[in-house]
Short mmCIF file of all heavy atoms in Angstrom, two decimals:
data_model
loop_
_atom_site.label_atom_id
_atom_site.label_comp_id
_atom_site.label_asym_id
_atom_site.label_seq_id
_atom_site.Cartn_x
_atom_site.Cartn_y
_atom_site.Cartn_z
N ALA A 37 -59.57 180.14 76.88
CA ALA A 37 -60.89 180.68 77.36
C ALA A 37 -61.14 182.09 76.74
O ALA A 37 -62.08 182.54 76.11
CB ALA A 37 -61.09 180.70 78.82
N ALA A 38 -59.93 182.95 76.89
CA ALA A 38 -60.00 184.29 76.38
C ALA A 38 -60.17 184.26 74.92
O ALA A 38 -60.96 185.13 74.28
CB ALA A 38 -58.84 185.07 76.85
N LEU A 39 -59.48 183.46 74.14
CA LEU A 39 -59.57 183.38 72.60
C LEU A 39 -60.92 182.88 72.25
O LEU A 39 -61.41 183.33 71.30
CB LEU A 39 -58.49 182.45 72.14
CG LEU A 39 -57.01 182.93 72.25
CD1 LEU A 39 -56.10 181.88 71.75
CD2 LEU A 39 -56.87 184.30 71.30
N ALA A 40 -61.38 181.90 73.01
CA ALA A 40 -62.74 181.38 72.69
C ALA A 40 -63.81 182.49 72.84
O ALA A 40 -64.70 182.67 71.96
CB ALA A 40 -63.13 180.20 73.52
N ALA A 41 -63.78 183.19 73.93
CA ALA A 41 -64.73 184.31 74.11
C ALA A 41 -64.56 185.34 73.10
O ALA A 41 -65.59 185.93 72.65
CB ALA A 41 -64.41 184.82 75.54
N TRP A 42 -63.42 185.69 72.66
CA TRP A 42 -63.33 186.68 71.65
C TRP A 42 -63.84 186.18 70.29
O TRP A 42 -64.58 186.95 69.73
CB TRP A 42 -61.82 186.96 71.44
CG TRP A 42 -61.50 188.08 70.41
CD1 TRP A 42 -61.53 189.50 70.57
CD2 TRP A 42 -61.11 187.83 68.95
NE1 TRP A 42 -61.22 190.09 69.40
CE2 TRP A 42 -61.07 189.18 68.38
CE3 TRP A 42 -60.99 186.67 68.28
CZ2 TRP A 42 -60.65 189.21 67.12
CZ3 TRP A 42 -60.62 186.88 66.97
CH2 TRP A 42 -60.49 188.07 66.41
N GLY A 43 -63.50 184.91 69.94
CA GLY A 43 -64.01 184.38 68.74
C GLY A 43 -65.46 184.33 68.73
O GLY A 43 -66.10 184.63 67.66
N LEU A 44 -66.08 183.83 69.73
CA LEU A 44 -67.58 183.62 69.69
C LEU A 44 -68.23 185.00 69.65
O LEU A 44 -69.36 185.10 69.10
CB LEU A 44 -67.92 182.84 70.93
CG LEU A 44 -67.45 181.40 70.92
CD1 LEU A 44 -67.80 180.80 72.36
CD2 LEU A 44 -68.22 180.59 69.83
N SER A 45 -67.62 185.93 70.33
CA SER A 45 -68.23 187.33 70.27
C SER A 45 -68.16 187.90 68.92
O SER A 45 -69.24 188.54 68.49
CB SER A 45 -67.59 188.16 71.31
OG SER A 45 -67.78 187.72 72.64
N VAL A 46 -67.14 187.72 68.29
CA VAL A 46 -67.03 188.16 66.85
C VAL A 46 -67.96 187.50 65.95
O VAL A 46 -68.68 188.08 65.04
CB VAL A 46 -65.54 187.95 66.39
CG1 VAL A 46 -65.39 188.19 64.88
CG2 VAL A 46 -64.46 188.88 67.00
N ALA A 47 -68.07 186.13 66.15
CA ALA A 47 -69.02 185.31 65.24
C ALA A 47 -70.47 185.81 65.55
O ALA A 47 -71.24 185.74 64.72
CB ALA A 47 -68.81 183.88 65.60
N ALA A 48 -70.88 186.16 66.75
CA ALA A 48 -72.25 186.57 67.12
C ALA A 48 -72.35 188.11 66.81
O ALA A 48 -73.46 188.55 67.14
CB ALA A 48 -72.40 186.38 68.53
N ASP A 49 -71.31 188.78 66.43
CA ASP A 49 -71.32 190.20 66.24
C ASP A 49 -71.75 190.89 67.52
O ASP A 49 -72.56 191.94 67.45
CB ASP A 49 -72.30 190.56 65.04
CG ASP A 49 -72.01 192.04 64.59
OD1 ASP A 49 -71.05 192.53 64.71
OD2 ASP A 49 -73.05 192.67 63.98
N LYS A 50 -71.26 190.54 68.63
CA LYS A 50 -71.50 191.22 69.88
C LYS A 50 -70.35 191.40 70.73
O LYS A 50 -70.27 191.11 71.91
CB LYS A 50 -72.58 190.24 70.72
CG LYS A 50 -73.98 190.09 70.04
CD LYS A 50 -74.87 189.37 71.02
CE LYS A 50 -76.31 189.41 70.45
NZ LYS A 50 -77.20 188.56 71.22
N LEU A 51 -69.31 191.76 70.00
CA LEU A 51 -67.98 192.06 70.65
C LEU A 51 -68.09 193.48 71.37
O LEU A 51 -68.07 194.54 70.73
CB LEU A 51 -66.92 192.05 69.67
CG LEU A 51 -65.44 192.11 70.08
CD1 LEU A 51 -65.19 190.78 70.90
CD2 LEU A 51 -64.49 192.27 68.93
N SER A 52 -68.05 193.43 72.70
CA SER A 52 -68.08 194.65 73.39
C SER A 52 -66.67 195.24 73.40
O SER A 52 -65.70 194.65 73.18
CB SER A 52 -68.55 194.25 74.90
OG SER A 52 -67.57 193.61 75.60
N PRO A 53 -66.59 196.60 73.78
CA PRO A 53 -65.33 197.22 73.85
C PRO A 53 -64.38 196.68 74.86
O PRO A 53 -63.19 196.46 74.41
CB PRO A 53 -65.62 198.72 74.29
CG PRO A 53 -67.06 198.90 73.76
CD PRO A 53 -67.71 197.55 73.86
N PRO A 54 -64.83 196.23 76.05
CA PRO A 54 -63.75 195.53 76.87
C PRO A 54 -63.33 194.20 76.22
O PRO A 54 -62.08 193.87 76.28
CB PRO A 54 -64.48 195.15 78.04
CG PRO A 54 -65.53 196.21 78.22
CD PRO A 54 -65.89 196.41 76.71
#
Side-chain angles (χ1 to χ4, degrees):
L39 290 174
W42 182 85
L44 292 173
S45 296
V46 170
D49 195 24
K50 293 184 177 180
L51 191 65
S52 68

